[in-house]
Amino acid sequence: MANGWCGLEVKIEDLKAICQGAGLRATHQRLEILGEVLKADDHPSAESIHARVRKRMPTVSLDTVYRTLATFEAFGIISRLHICSGRISYDPVRKRHDHFVCVECKRVFDCQIPGIDELPIPAEVTAWGEIASVQLELRGICKECLRRRRKENACG
Ligand SMILES: [Zn+2]
Ligand SMILES: [Zn+2]
């Protein structure tokens, strides 16, 4: 597994190791797409991953990107976030983390809320099945949106 947080430089050997570790053949296309997801610090949509990958692989289609992301998801390499807006974005699965979502600009921020793993799980949940992971989504308005709102109010 690559270490550290999103936004760090991702090495090709690390990408290969991630694919192979998950039991997936490390094709050139997969490595390029995975590299973009891991590099991103903005929880990108498939469309924006496609735009980034195309800079180095102009022939790659959006459909291929969709399919590759779905494969990564199925193999547990990335996770798909369903943000309140209905926008779907992708997140590398590296370290358990939570999200703060701005309901206005839909930006997603990574954060880590302590104690999540020790949350008491109600018996009705354990009756449904086994829990693999717990994630918290906090919704609010980010600083920038708050600032913009304040400005708009001041001018209007
Ligand atoms: Zn915002
Ligand atoms: Zn995240």
Side-chain angles (χ1 to χ4, degrees):
M1 265 323 230
N3 43 30
W5 281 98
C6 310
L8 296 175
E9 212 33 67
V10 189
K11 288 200 215 91
I12 196 90
E13 307 90 78
D14 290 341
L15 296 175
K16 272 190 193 155
I18 292 170
C19 279
Q20 285 157 359
L24 207 60
R25 213 155 48 84
T27 64
H28 177 58
Q29 218 167 38
R30 279 180 184 157
L31 295 180
E32 287 285 344
I33 295 170
L34 184 59
E36 287 303 332
V37 180
L38 295 189
K39 251 196 291 188
D41 55 3
D42 59 348
H43 301 82
S45 64
E47 289 78 9
S48 58
I49 293 166
H50 179 231
R52 292 168 207 184
V53 172
R54 256 185 24 185
K55 285 182 195 151
R56 278 199 310 275
M57 292 179 73
T59 55
V60 73
S61 71
L62 179 58
D63 194 53
T64 300
V65 172
Y66 273 129
R67 273 187 287 116
T68 308
L69 291 171
T71 306
F72 289 155
E73 198 194 351
F75 280 77
I77 297 175
I78 62 174
S79 66
R80 196 145 54 127
L81 306 173
H82 295 263
I83 303 306
C84 45
S85 63
R87 189 187 88 142
I88 291 172
S89 52
Y90 292 87
D91 205 16
V93 178
R94 293 209 224 182
K95 193 174 176 185
R96 198 207 72 73
H97 65 272
D98 306 290
H99 291 113
F100 170 77
V101 183
C102 174
V103 295
E104 233 165 78
C105 67
K106 316 298 182 205
R107 271 205 296 164
V108 182
F109 302 84
D110 286 334
C111 58
Q112 218 147 13
I113 317 264
I116 295 287
D117 288 325
E118 288 98 63
L119 272 184
I121 307 294
E124 59 176 300
V125 177
T126 41
W128 293 328
E130 218 171 82
I131 294 163
S133 69
V134 183
Q135 201 176 62
L136 214 65
E137 184 179 304
L138 308 164
R139 294 177 186 182
I141 299 171
C142 76
K143 259 188 178 166
E144 275 172 41
C145 289
L146 283 174
R147 207 177 298 135
R148 201 182 47 240
R149 270 192 179 184
R150 250 181 257 128
K151 251 191 222 159
E152 278 166 10
N153 287 343
C155 298

